[in-house]
Amino acid sequence: MPATALLDAGCGTGELMNYLSLHGRKCSGFDAESEMIRQAIQKAVGLNISPDFRTATLQNCKNYYKEEQFGGIFCLGNTIVHVKDSSEIESVLKSFFHLLQPGGKAAIQILNYDRILKKHITSLPVIEAEMADKKIRFYRTYNKEETGEGLMFTARLEITTTLATDVYSWETRLYPALRTEIETLLEKTGFCGIEVWEDYEETCASEESSLYLFTARKLLDKQYQSESPSASPAR
């Protein structure tokens, strides 16, 4: 990412932006859940840093920041598929493009829904983590809507301590965007240099990848004359 301001779209409790702020970057983040933002701010105060955290949604984030304010935008954790349909993803990408400086980059991560839909996958491996005083298990299941294009995502989080096991569960609808769909929408929006990875080590994605990490850039003003957004991107 260029050495300028960074934005985390769907920042949750602010782990990424707090980390980058500690390393001298100017950071902002938003999330639709006000409780997540409260926790992000609380963590930042404890670290004696001050990223700009706000409550906002993918759909209205454009209204909270200045045009071309950021050199880099992250939208990780399968966040961008929390929308109604493909047209809403396009609208979100247009907002990102509006907020990026010329030469800036966007990084967007989703699950590999091509694989999930093709193989009729209804659950993913349990995510487990152990800490000094607790054990965490995160269960994920996916079921196609009876009508419509969406997937119903059901999550179950178990936090076990020496005293008890607390269980949290929730359900939300996702739009299972496909790889070529995201690539096409990025190009249509005006992004170039589109690449697709399966991890953060820049391993090229394949049909069997568990996730897709898209990176794309907004052209410098002087490049618009010589490089068309609709040209074949590097992949």
Side-chain angles (χ1 to χ4, degrees):
M1 294 288 185
T4 50
L6 302 175
L7 174 67
D8 189 359
C11 65
T13 57
E15 301 295 338
L16 178 59
M17 292 297 97
N18 281 334
Y19 173 81
L20 292 174
S21 290
L22 281 171
H23 288 75
R25 304 304 296 269
K26 184 177 181 181
C27 298
S28 299
F30 71 83
D31 199 278
E33 299 293 332
S34 58
E35 174 59 20
M36 294 289 192
I37 294 300
R38 186 193 68 78
Q39 292 184 37
I41 294 172
Q42 185 178 52
K43 290 179 181 180
V45 170
L47 294 168
N48 197 31
I49 53 177
S50 54
D52 175 20
F53 288 119
R54 308 184 185 196
T55 301
T57 67
L58 291 172
Q59 290 81 358
N60 69 15
C61 65
K62 179 180 175 181
N63 302 325
Y64 288 82
Y65 305 100
K66 297 178 182 178
E67 183 177 2
E68 299 184 354
Q69 182 173 341
F70 300 102
I73 295 177
F74 300 93
C75 187
L76 310 178
N78 208 41
T79 297
I80 202 168
V81 297
H82 287 74
V83 294
K84 180 182 177 181
D85 52 27
S86 184
S87 65
E88 280 202 3
I89 290 183
E90 181 179 358
S91 178
V92 172
L93 293 177
K94 286 180 178 178
S95 293
F96 291 172
F97 194 85
H98 174 83
L99 296 175
L100 273 176
Q101 300 164 359
K105 288 188 176 182
I108 299 164
Q109 180 259 315
I110 64 171
L111 292 175
N112 179 355
Y113 289 106
D114 297 69
R115 177 173 172 268
I116 288 173
L117 295 177
K118 181 179 180 180
K119 296 192 173 184
H120 305 288
I121 294 172
T122 58
S123 64
L124 295 178
V126 177
I127 297 175
E128 298 185 87
E130 289 195 36
M131 303 176 189
D133 59 345
K134 67 184 69 173
K135 178 180 287 187
I136 298 173
R137 291 189 179 91
F138 185 45
Y139 300 85
R140 299 166 292 170
T141 60
Y142 301 84
N143 293 288
K144 202 167 189 318
E145 286 182 320
E146 292 184 8
T147 59
E149 303 175 300
L151 284 180
M152 294 307 300
F153 167 54
T154 303
R156 177 184 170 90
L157 178 66
E158 297 180 357
I159 303 176
T160 302
T161 66
T162 55
L163 299 176
T165 296
D166 294 320
V167 178
Y168 307 89
S169 60
W170 62 93
E171 185 176 71
T172 188
R173 180 190 181 277
L174 306 175
Y175 174 71
L178 305 180
R179 172 176 175 165
T180 56
E181 186 175 6
I182 296 292
E183 290 174 314
T184 299
L185 291 174
L186 283 166
E187 292 177 14
K188 183 178 179 181
T189 303
F191 284 99
C192 287
I194 302 165
E195 296 179 292
V196 189
W197 316 102
E198 72 172 26
D199 54 33
Y200 298 102
E201 304 299 323
E202 296 190 344
T203 305
C204 289
S206 71
E207 292 181 356
E208 294 303 311
S209 300
S210 61
L211 63 83
Y212 288 144
L213 175 63
F214 301 85
T215 58
R217 62 187 172 87
K218 179 175 180 177
L219 291 174
L220 293 167
D221 291 335
K222 63 183 179 182
Q223 290 178 290
Y224 279 104
Q225 300 301 319
S226 58
E227 189 174 346
S228 168
S230 60
S232 297
R235 292 177 188 159

